[in-house]
């Protein structure tokens, strides 16, 4: 087998790649406005009630109309998944892995098409969309290889007169609730992980980006996935989300989204339902309030690039985005001036235009939430740059910096999920680490310093799941930087890492007396 190596990003300095991406956008545009069915046990089911998916760069442009599942559909999907599990659990892990490898190859051949759809439906600028699709390919390739590594279990000791084996069994019916911000990568990764480990799946995609998810279902079918192994049931949390989480026959729930929804899922999943004979397992990634610490011995060019990229890439709509900067006071003013100057060079507009660094935020609800925080920021600190929105045609928020904030102010504590970053000063590095840790979240963080002892201090004391030195706090690569945090950021599941697939299985010991 070819060793794992992550999917390369497209070089858009090459005109041929620009032309190919533009052609992919035109292809996506030629297919806009279609109606998409549910997929349950391989059957297409159209419903009268649909969700309109639209382009957040241009709200008048309809991506498609997607059927909405009812509780009756959800129950139908559970029954299909239960039935498919009887056979899928016994399929050779190598066969399951090969389906993932083929799905990755299909996606690779259609890479620009998927990225262009991310640009249209998710509002992702070209580079961000390209990275999203590449990560989806990475998840399929990596988890396929990981299953081959785990398929025979792990070595345990045997004594004279006995033979002991330790292996893994799939859990059963899984519910995957995927987010809109990595509409292909996380959606695909959280789906294929339970699939390759022998589970069956009910996939509930985000209502903001369902068409991308439907196209992924077509990829899985083309790759040879048997019917019923993944059932595609878009719908609202009120209609089917809570129903599935609480269902007695669901054994595993994989969720990516807000802390509020994630903690609600944890509570609902902990209740034992009548007829339930297992403890539900929950994998949750619930967001962050991520800090870049800048030391007085930092390279300020490195710090500036790290902050701007991490804060404003994809309009700050990443759980790993830098929304807090804690700078030692001796470099605070100089750093703030540099970040302000770099930020004011960024372009904002329709994501389909290759010249725009930033596109829109995802929807009106998100836009209104960010507008509220812009007002809060002006009350709590000093508006350095930005603070403007343009909602005439799309959901555009200009990159915004607030300075002179208290480290425990609302802007520095609450997840905004938009292109807003706050700056606070610390008297020294010790206080900077203290302030960085003073948040309920623990997802990502970065430290910019040329002092090795301070970096080692941060390695020991900065409590986040993904810690980066002298670079930004976004951009984890599958297989290279396993991703996931703790505290209120989630269950530290470490997606794209060597411990992730095990979360989708049950360990079993078999001991034979000889």
């Amino acid at each position: 087998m070819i060793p794992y190596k992550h999917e390369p990003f497209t070089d858009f300095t090459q005109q041929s790649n620009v032309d190919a991406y533009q052609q992919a956008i035109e292809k996506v545009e030629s297919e806009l406005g279609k109606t998409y069915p549910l997929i349950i046990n391989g059957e297409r089911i159209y419903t009268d009630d649909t969700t309109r998916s639209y382009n957040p760069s241009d709200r008048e442009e309809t991506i498609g109309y997607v059927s909405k599942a009812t509780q009756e559909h959800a129950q139908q999907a559970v029954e299909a998944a239960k039935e498919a599990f009887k056979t899928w659990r016994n399929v050779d892990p190598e066969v399951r892995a090969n389906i993932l490898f083929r799905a990755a190859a299909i996606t690779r051949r259609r890479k620009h098409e998927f990225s262009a759809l991310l640009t249209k439906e998710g509002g992702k600028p070209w580079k961000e969309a390209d990275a999203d699709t590449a990560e989806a390919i990475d998840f399929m390739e990596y988890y396929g290889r990981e299953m081959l590594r785990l398929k025979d279990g792990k070595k345990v000791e045997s004594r004279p007169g006995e033979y002991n084996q330790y292996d893994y069994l799939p859990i059963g019916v899984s519910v995957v609730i995927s987010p809109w911000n990595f509409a292909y990568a996380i959606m695909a990764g959280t789906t294929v992980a339970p699939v390759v480990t022998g589970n069956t799946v009910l996939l509930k995609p985000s209502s903001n980006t369902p068409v991308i998810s439907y196209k992924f279902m077509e990829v899985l079918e083309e790759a040879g996935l048997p019917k019923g192994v993944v059932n595609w049931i878009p719908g609202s949390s009120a209609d089917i989300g809570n129903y599935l989480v609480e269902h007695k026959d669901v054994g595993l729930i994989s969720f990516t989204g807000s802390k509020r929804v994630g903690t609600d899922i944890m509570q609902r999943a902990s209740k034992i339902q009548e007829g339930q004979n297992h403890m539900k397992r929950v994998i949750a990634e619930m967001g962050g309030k991520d800090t870049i610490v800048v030391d007085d011995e930092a390279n300020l060019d490195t710090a500036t690039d790290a902050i701007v990229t991490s804060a404003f890439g994809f309009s700050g709509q990443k759980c790993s985005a830098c929304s807090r900067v804690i700078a030692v006071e001796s470099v605070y003013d100089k750093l703030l001036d540099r970040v302000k100057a770099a930020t004011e060079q960024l372009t904002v507009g329709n994501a389909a235009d290759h010249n725009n660094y930033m596109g829109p935020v995802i929807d009106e609800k998100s836009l209104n939430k960010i507008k509220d925080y812009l007002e809060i920021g002006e009350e709590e600190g000093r508006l350095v740059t930005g603070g403007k929105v343009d909602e005439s045609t799309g959901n555009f928020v200009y990159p915004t910096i607030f300075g002179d904030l208290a480290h425990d102010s609302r802007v520095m504590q609450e997840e905004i999920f938009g292109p807003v970053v706050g700056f606070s000063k610390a008297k020294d590095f010790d206080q900077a680490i203290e302030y960085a840790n003073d948040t309920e979240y623990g997802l990502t963080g970065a430290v910019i310093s040329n002092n090795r002892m301070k970096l080692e201090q941060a390695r020991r004391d900065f409590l986040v799941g993904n810690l980066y030195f002298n670079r930004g706090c976004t951009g984890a690569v599958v297989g290279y930087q396993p991703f996931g945090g703790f505290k209120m950021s989630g269950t530290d599941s470490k997606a794209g890492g060597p411990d992730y697939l095990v979360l989708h299985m049950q360990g079993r010991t078999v001991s034979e007396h000889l």
Side-chain angles (χ1 to χ4, degrees):
M1 185 175 64
I2 300 170
Y4 171 74
K5 184 178 181 181
H6 85 86
E7 182 71 14
F9 303 136
T10 301
D11 180 3
F12 287 117
T13 65
Q14 299 294 316
Q15 188 59 42
S16 60
N17 291 332
V18 173
D19 293 342
Y21 200 95
Q22 193 61 55
Q23 289 169 9
I25 289 176
E26 292 168 6
K27 183 179 188 303
V28 168
E29 288 175 340
S30 72
E31 299 178 355
L32 296 179
K34 292 183 177 180
T35 300
Y36 297 90
L38 314 176
I39 305 176
I40 299 175
N41 202 31
E43 180 187 355
R44 263 65 175 172
I45 302 171
Y46 290 89
T47 64
D48 294 331
D49 190 10
T50 61
T51 297
R52 174 182 174 258
S53 174
Y54 69 88
N55 180 355
S57 289
D58 178 1
R59 291 187 297 270
E60 296 301 311
E61 186 174 73
T62 299
I63 306 301
Y65 299 93
V66 177
S67 296
K68 291 177 68 173
T70 63
Q71 284 192 13
E72 289 74 22
H73 293 123
Q75 179 59 35
Q76 201 178 332
V78 170
E79 293 301 325
K82 281 175 61 181
E83 187 63 28
F85 180 66
K86 295 176 183 177
T87 52
W88 183 246
R89 68 187 298 275
N90 294 318
V91 170
D92 190 316
E94 290 193 16
V95 173
R96 301 197 300 252
N98 284 337
I99 290 175
L100 266 61
F101 297 146
R102 184 154 188 238
I106 294 166
T107 299
R108 190 178 290 112
R109 288 194 290 271
R110 298 170 55 191
K111 185 177 181 183
H112 290 329
E113 179 188 342
F114 277 107
S115 299
L117 186 51
L118 287 162
T119 292
K120 283 287 185 177
E121 189 175 35
K124 283 206 159 184
W126 290 25
K127 287 180 67 176
E128 296 281 348
D130 180 73
D132 194 323
T133 306
E135 187 173 21
I137 295 168
D138 285 344
F139 276 130
M140 290 182 267
E141 292 277 5
Y142 182 78
Y143 291 152
R145 284 164 171 75
E146 279 295 291
M147 191 64 233
L148 296 181
R149 183 178 67 84
L150 293 169
K151 66 183 178 65
D152 296 321
K154 292 186 177 179
K155 184 179 183 302
V156 292
E157 299 303 323
S158 294
R159 297 175 295 192
E162 71 178 15
Y163 177 55
N164 300 319
Q165 288 179 289
Y166 183 79
D167 59 6
Y168 296 104
L169 302 177
I171 292 173
V173 176
S174 309
V175 171
V176 172
I177 303 172
S178 64
W180 52 262
N181 64 332
F182 285 85
Y184 198 13
I186 294 179
M187 179 273 303
T190 53
T191 299
V192 300
V195 165
V196 80
T197 47
N199 303 284
T200 52
V201 173
L202 311 174
L203 172 55
K204 180 187 167 317
S206 167
S207 297
N208 291 118
T209 53
V211 176
I212 295 164
S213 183
Y214 182 87
K215 295 290 186 180
F216 174 61
M217 287 296 296
E218 293 181 336
V219 169
L220 291 179
E221 290 173 329
E222 184 181 345
L225 190 71
K227 65 181 184 179
V229 175
V230 178
N231 302 274
W232 194 69
I233 46 171
S236 72
S237 294
D239 290 340
I240 65 167
N242 296 338
Y243 175 79
L244 290 172
V245 166
E246 296 174 355
H247 200 289
K248 68 180 180 64
D249 293 325
V250 169
L252 172 68
I253 301 150
S254 181
F255 167 78
T256 306
S258 70
K259 183 194 79 171
R260 180 187 63 80
V261 177
T263 52
D264 182 64
I265 287 173
M266 293 285 283
Q267 290 176 316
R268 291 178 184 275
S270 68
K271 285 187 177 181
I272 304 301
Q273 306 296 324
E274 184 176 350
Q276 181 177 329
N277 61 7
H278 58 274
M279 297 290 290
K280 295 179 191 287
R281 187 173 297 178
V282 177
I283 300 169
E285 201 281 280
M286 305 190 306
K289 190 68 180 173
D290 308 299
T291 308
I292 293 182
V293 170
V294 182
D295 179 35
D296 57 5
E297 297 179 78
N299 181 313
L300 294 189
D301 289 336
T302 299
T304 298
D305 181 65
I307 292 164
V308 171
T309 302
S310 300
F312 304 127
F314 190 39
S315 300
Q317 298 174 115
K318 304 177 184 179
C319 51
S320 60
C322 170
S323 58
R324 309 168 84 221
V325 175
I326 309 292
V328 175
E329 59 186 3
S330 60
V331 297
Y332 177 89
D333 291 331
K334 192 180 296 184
L335 174 68
L336 191 53
D337 287 343
R338 290 186 182 214
V339 176
K340 175 180 184 290
T343 299
E344 290 174 347
Q345 298 301 308
L346 303 180
T347 52
V348 180
N350 194 311
D353 184 342
H354 180 38
N355 296 312
N356 289 326
Y357 181 83
M358 280 173 49
V361 297
I362 191 65
D363 59 15
E364 187 177 6
K365 179 182 176 183
S366 178
L367 180 69
N368 289 334
K369 177 184 175 183
I370 295 166
K371 285 162 65 176
D372 288 343
Y373 277 103
L374 295 180
E375 293 182 7
I376 294 167
E378 295 217 48
E379 294 170 2
E380 293 185 331
R382 171 170 61 93
L383 178 63
V384 176
T385 190
K388 298 183 298 181
V389 302
D390 178 0
E391 48 191 314
S392 55
T393 57
N395 309 318
F396 298 104
V397 181
Y398 284 80
T400 300
I401 301 170
F402 288 107
D404 308 342
L405 291 161
H407 82 277
D408 55 357
S409 62
R410 289 185 64 188
V411 169
M412 295 292 280
Q413 290 292 325
E414 298 173 11
E415 188 172 37
I416 301 171
F417 226 66
V420 180
V421 62
F423 276 66
S424 296
K425 65 178 66 172
K427 65 181 180 182
D428 54 26
F429 189 76
D430 288 346
Q431 189 175 66
I433 296 297
E434 175 190 338
Y435 286 175
N437 281 329
D438 189 15
T439 165
E440 64 180 338
Y441 294 102
L443 186 53
T444 76
V447 176
I448 316 297
S449 178
N450 288 324
N451 183 311
R452 172 49 58 181
M453 292 302 103
K454 289 179 179 176
L455 295 179
E456 294 306 318
Q457 177 184 345
R459 189 194 302 272
R460 182 184 68 243
D461 296 336
F462 196 167
L463 301 178
V464 291
N466 282 63
L467 178 60
Y468 303 100
F469 292 157
N470 291 313
R471 53 154 286 184
C473 60
T474 60
V477 176
V478 173
Y480 292 66
Q481 292 111 9
F483 185 81
F486 31 79
K487 295 166 74 174
M488 294 307 292
S489 285
T491 55
D492 196 33
S493 53
K494 285 292 181 281
D499 299 328
Y500 189 69
L501 288 192
V502 175
L503 300 175
H504 302 76
M505 299 184 287
Q506 303 173 116
R508 178 183 65 170
T509 300
V510 176
S511 182
E512 181 178 359
H513 180 68
L514 301 176

